[in-house]
Amino acid sequence: MIEVSGLRMSYDGFEAVQGVDLRVSRGEIFTFLGPNGAGKTTTVEILEGHRKRTAGDVRVLGEDPERADRWWRSRVGVVLQSSRVEPQLTVRECLELYAGYYSAPRSVQEVIELVGLKKRSEVRCGHLSGGQQRRVDVALALIGDPELVFLDEPTTGFDPAARRSAWEMIDGLRQLGKTVFLTTHYMDEAEALADRIVVIKAGVIVAEGTPTTLGGRDRAAYQITFSLPEGVEIDELPVASARELDQSGKVLIESGQVMPTLRSLSDWAIGHQYNISDLLVRRPALEDVYLALTEAPK
Ligand code: ATP
């Protein structure tokens, strides 16, 4: 669906994108992560045909977006960061208006239901909350029944329940066979939705993987954390590598051999009749991996 090689973009000599290669396959939710100013929006705008590139080869749905025609535009849905709803029209009227621009639009009612606006469909767009307006933006991107949908930070400003339903909606797009190019700053969003993640930093791609494998996450040591039993010092623990996590008495053990470590810990605690509270065993969170990738010097 998308093939990019050697993409470069300079603004007055400043290289915002410095030789990016990307491939996005049909039906996947591709997630683009990176700190503020990393070059995500610049890249996405080039892929959408909204910005001319300095150099590189770009194919979206087999075409160069710089030379794309109306037919190509009708196959691509775009949700921009800023809203473009018509304040005087109701949600339904707005969608009916936009549906008229396409030769084969989706049913307005179906799209209203897909974005969870059934109960607000007769309300003027100008009277909707920020999160509900965002849903209208998504609905407008879907009304033309595009094959490829760009979602740029689609849940910014949503309350937790609205974010969950937006995730269900985006997952629903995958079920419909759509390809989704998602930009987000929320790691839980990437974890919940992404088939594949690419991380960009200062215009250069620094990692690629699934939420499970990104940055070697699947090979990283397990982190075992718990609270030290009252009156017990850290050097009394049966594991040499234990260290204090913070002032609250929490302890961290990093272990590649999680079962033997847990066994010696539980044998020790049961033997002394200690209660180990707040026990947690996990791989590094996606956020830990992401921060390590984007903060460490390249
Ligand atoms: P954010 O997460 O904040 O949206 P981003 O990854 O989308 O950031 P871009 O908006 O692509 O980043 O910006 C990349 C770099 O290019 C930044 O340093 C930005 O200041 C610069 N830049 C973006 N647009 C322009 C422009 N029109 N003129 C000059 N510099 C620009």
Side-chain angles (χ1 to χ4, degrees):
M1 298 296 274
I2 300 179
E3 278 182 306
V4 173
S5 67
L7 177 63
R8 292 184 175 273
M9 180 65 206
S10 297
Y11 296 106
D12 299 326
F14 169 72
E15 276 222 293
V17 177
Q18 305 179 20
V20 158
D21 299 330
L22 290 176
R23 276 182 81 89
V24 179
S25 307
R26 182 178 295 275
E28 75 174 339
I29 299 185
F30 175 91
T31 304
F32 206 25
L33 302 180
N36 292 135
K40 301 181 297 298
T41 304
T42 300
T43 304
V44 169
E45 285 176 351
I46 290 167
L47 300 181
E48 292 168 347
H50 289 144
R51 190 175 283 288
K52 277 188 187 280
R53 60 190 181 269
T54 309
D57 194 37
V58 178
R59 289 278 175 278
V60 176
L61 302 175
E63 305 281 332
D64 182 340
E66 272 185 27
R67 286 192 285 278
D69 56 10
R70 226 184 121 113
W71 161 240
W72 182 89
R73 295 218 165 272
S74 73
R75 297 165 66 205
V76 176
V78 174
V79 182
L80 302 169
Q81 277 187 21
S82 57
S83 177
R84 55 175 170 156
V85 293
E86 314 277 344
Q88 297 306 325
L89 299 183
T90 66
V91 171
R92 185 182 302 281
E93 288 166 347
C94 194
L95 282 168
E96 279 167 355
L97 174 71
Y98 278 74
Y101 299 145
Y102 297 94
S103 53
R106 284 192 92 79
S107 127
V108 167
Q109 183 59 29
E110 195 189 337
V111 172
I112 287 174
E113 287 176 23
L114 189 66
V115 300
L117 281 174
K118 209 168 150 188
K119 292 191 183 135
R120 308 293 283 164
S121 61
E122 307 310 327
V123 175
R124 286 184 202 280
C125 292
H127 294 174
L128 296 173
S129 75
Q132 289 163 349
Q133 289 192 9
R134 206 84 187 99
R135 289 173 186 229
V136 177
D137 291 335
V138 175
L140 292 177
L142 299 180
I143 194 71
D145 198 20
E147 292 162 54
L148 170 65
V149 186
F150 288 96
L151 298 173
D152 197 5
E153 301 184 27
T155 63
T156 299
F158 279 26
D159 68 38
R163 290 185 68 216
R164 285 295 156 120
S165 25
W167 293 357
E168 278 171 28
M169 189 264 302
I170 296 167
D171 198 48
L173 295 180
R174 175 176 22 210
Q175 323 259 337
L176 291 172
K178 309 293 179 197
T179 307
V180 177
F181 193 111
L182 172 74
T183 312
T184 183
H185 286 294
Y186 299 118
M187 294 303 133
D188 53 350
E189 189 157 295
E191 182 117 51
L193 292 173
D195 292 309
R196 212 151 50 82
I197 296 175
V198 161
V199 181
I200 184 169
K201 177 190 171 188
V204 177
I205 291 189
V206 292
E208 179 179 348
T210 66
T212 322
T213 63
L214 192 78
R217 192 179 170 204
D218 53 333
R219 299 187 306 273
Y222 279 91
Q223 297 178 335
I224 304 168
T225 57
F226 55 93
S227 295
L228 265 183
E230 202 140 323
V232 173
E233 295 297 323
I234 196 161
D235 51 16
E236 293 175 46
L237 288 171
V239 184
S241 62
R243 59 188 162 91
E244 264 180 79
L245 197 58
D246 53 34
Q247 302 298 320
S248 69
K250 277 227 168 143
V251 173
L252 167 70
I253 298 170
E254 286 185 312
S255 171
Q257 298 284 321
V258 71
M259 297 316 287
T261 308
L262 282 175
R263 183 175 187 164
S264 67
L265 197 61
S266 60
D267 284 352
W268 170 83
I270 291 164
H272 290 82
Q273 294 191 319
Y274 290 143
N275 182 29
I276 292 197
S277 57
D278 309 320
L279 178 66
L280 204 65
V281 182
R282 63 169 191 136
R283 295 264 201 210
L286 185 58
E287 185 156 283
D288 299 331
V289 171
Y290 169 78
L291 288 174
L293 283 168
T294 52
E295 279 176 353
K298 287 203 311 265

